[in-house]
Amino acid sequence: SRRELADVFASDADLVHFIGHCEDEGLQCADGYLAVDDLADVGVRTFFLNACGSYREGRALVRAGSVAGAVTFRDVLDGQATTVGTTFARLLVRGFCIERALRLARRRIRMGKDYAAVGDATYAPAGDGTAPVVVRVRETGESYEVAVEGMPDDAPGGVFRPPVVESERWHLRGRDAVGRMDADTLREALAGTGLPVIHENGFSWAAAFVEGL
């Protein structure tokens, strides 16, 4: 209901993921539409309004006090919305900021430009102080070039100890730690990490990528 959704937005939750429909009147509820401009209180820090054309409502949440969130510009397909939403949430849990999580999640669908971030998108609602990392893999003949980048958003100038590639030193966040390995070594290095992997076929999680090697 509108009251229940209003209570959710008024809570001090780190993230609200709204999955539904959005019209000019606001976010669709069981008993009508809820316009963010009509809310008496907004406490949620970040959000994903995973609904068609939710940009205006997302901007209103930021004006009302939310830090940042993800929105859409126009109609989005249900299947693509599910893919983007679940990927976005998984990346946030791993410590990514709003902007980078959405940028990576958009790579999983063709209509990625229909999604955007609003507010202070460098904000990361989760994380344990370790650098969230992205693994980039490029096939070079019979081996693979592997680059691991530690995201610098929550600690500019910080350092991280890269996973996957062998390294005995710390690396500056925002810079790649690079290694080269064969398929078997790469499978072993990625197994069980749950890391996001970017490769020539786009974006996938480590487990799915390893299965395709």
Side-chain angles (χ1 to χ4, degrees), residues 13-122:
D14 292 316
L15 171 69
V16 167
H17 187 180
F18 174 84
I19 304 169
H21 297 284
C22 184
E23 303 290 348
D24 291 341
E25 299 92 334
L27 302 171
Q28 188 178 36
C29 301
D31 57 349
Y33 293 90
L34 177 69
V36 173
D37 282 335
D38 294 336
L39 293 176
D41 186 29
V42 170
V44 63
R45 282 176 283 284
T46 63
F47 57 86
F48 189 177
L49 300 185
N50 206 348
C52 298
S54 62
Y55 174 77
R56 185 171 61 182
E57 300 301 320
R59 285 290 304 274
L61 279 173
V62 171
R63 288 196 301 268
S66 291
V67 178
V71 296
T72 68
F73 288 127
R74 53 179 68 90
D75 291 355
V76 291
L77 300 176
D78 288 350
Q80 294 186 349
T82 299
T83 299
V84 172
T86 54
T87 303
F88 178 77
R90 285 184 67 178
L91 289 166
L92 289 186
V93 169
R94 297 196 69 89
F96 284 80
C97 71
I98 296 290
E99 190 277 333
R100 290 190 189 273
L102 187 60
R103 187 195 306 178
L104 283 171
R106 292 188 313 185
R107 296 178 71 111
R108 303 204 67 189
I109 64 171
R110 292 184 178 181
M111 305 298 290
K113 292 183 178 179
D114 291 341
Y115 291 86
V118 292
D120 179 9
T122 64

Side-chain angles (χ1 to χ4, degrees), residues 2 43 53 106 130 150 211:
R2 288 177 295 176
R106 292 188 313 185
T130 59
E211 288 181 0

Side-chain angles (χ1 to χ4, degrees), residues 134-207:
V134 175
V135 181
R136 294 181 173 84
V137 178
R138 184 170 65 92
E139 187 172 0
T140 57
E142 296 182 355
S143 64
Y144 295 86
E145 181 181 273
V146 181
V148 180
E149 180 185 6
M151 299 295 105
D153 307 300
D154 64 339
V159 296
F160 76 108
R161 181 66 63 82
V164 183
V165 298
E166 291 187 6
S167 178
E168 295 182 355
R169 63 185 181 89
W170 293 85
H171 289 256
L172 184 67
R173 289 195 187 194
R175 298 286 183 87
D176 291 347
V178 181
R180 189 178 299 276
M181 57 192 73
D182 59 29
D184 289 339
T185 304
L186 181 56
R187 287 192 194 95
E188 183 178 352
L190 286 174
T193 63
L195 294 173
V197 179
I198 297 176
H199 49 92
E200 61 181 11
N201 295 324
F203 170 99
S204 63
W205 296 103

